[in-house]
Amino acid sequence: MGKKPELLPGTLDLMILKTLSRGSLHGYGIAASIKRTSGDVLTVEEGSLYPALQRLLLQGSVRPAWRLTETGRRARFYTLTREGRKQLGQEVSQYELLIDAIGRVLQDA
């Protein structure tokens, strides 16, 4: 099999928000969840994940809290805020509109 597909621009924030809508997680947990739920197709690197989390934090979409992981290590857990849920809904709508438009273009080919 060839190279794994790369994330489309703008989709990382959407996937982080969706992942956190299922519950609070630390950075590694977010990356692992995205990888697992995508069937090991999507891998989020630390160099992309943590700047995205910082961006979402500055936007007020996520809230951090230090807690212990299941292995007893101290980690920063992220929780979706009310603003984050609103942003998720908007981004899902925009993504679905885009996917629908791309699908129509591909069918017409």
Side-chain angles (χ1 to χ4, degrees):
M1 190 163 135
K3 182 177 139 184
K4 285 188 177 184
E6 294 183 22
L7 295 179
L8 296 173
T11 57
L12 180 56
D13 289 4
L14 171 62
M15 289 190 298
I16 291 171
L17 292 171
K18 181 60 181 178
T19 299
L20 291 176
S21 75
R22 298 179 188 112
S24 181
L25 287 170
H26 50 76
Y28 177 80
I30 294 168
S33 178
I34 290 171
K35 184 175 183 179
R36 184 181 61 253
T37 56
S38 73
D40 291 335
V41 173
L42 302 175
T43 302
V44 180
E45 303 295 333
E46 283 185 34
S48 299
L49 177 64
Y50 290 102
L53 284 168
Q54 185 63 27
R55 184 173 53 250
L56 292 168
L57 180 62
L58 291 173
Q59 293 171 353
S61 299
V62 298
R63 180 178 49 252
W66 288 99
R67 296 195 334 228
L68 293 179
T69 66
E70 51 281 345
T71 60
R73 297 184 73 186
R74 192 167 177 260
R76 196 174 194 189
F77 280 71
Y78 297 89
T79 303
L80 199 60
T81 64
R82 183 177 307 160
E83 181 60 35
R85 289 193 187 283
K86 181 179 173 184
Q87 181 182 349
L88 174 59
Q90 292 168 345
E91 289 198 23
V92 166
S93 294
Q94 291 172 352
Y95 179 78
E96 288 172 344
L97 185 65
L98 179 63
I99 292 302
D100 184 52
I102 291 170
R104 286 194 308 266
V105 171
L106 292 177
Q107 288 177 346
D108 196 38

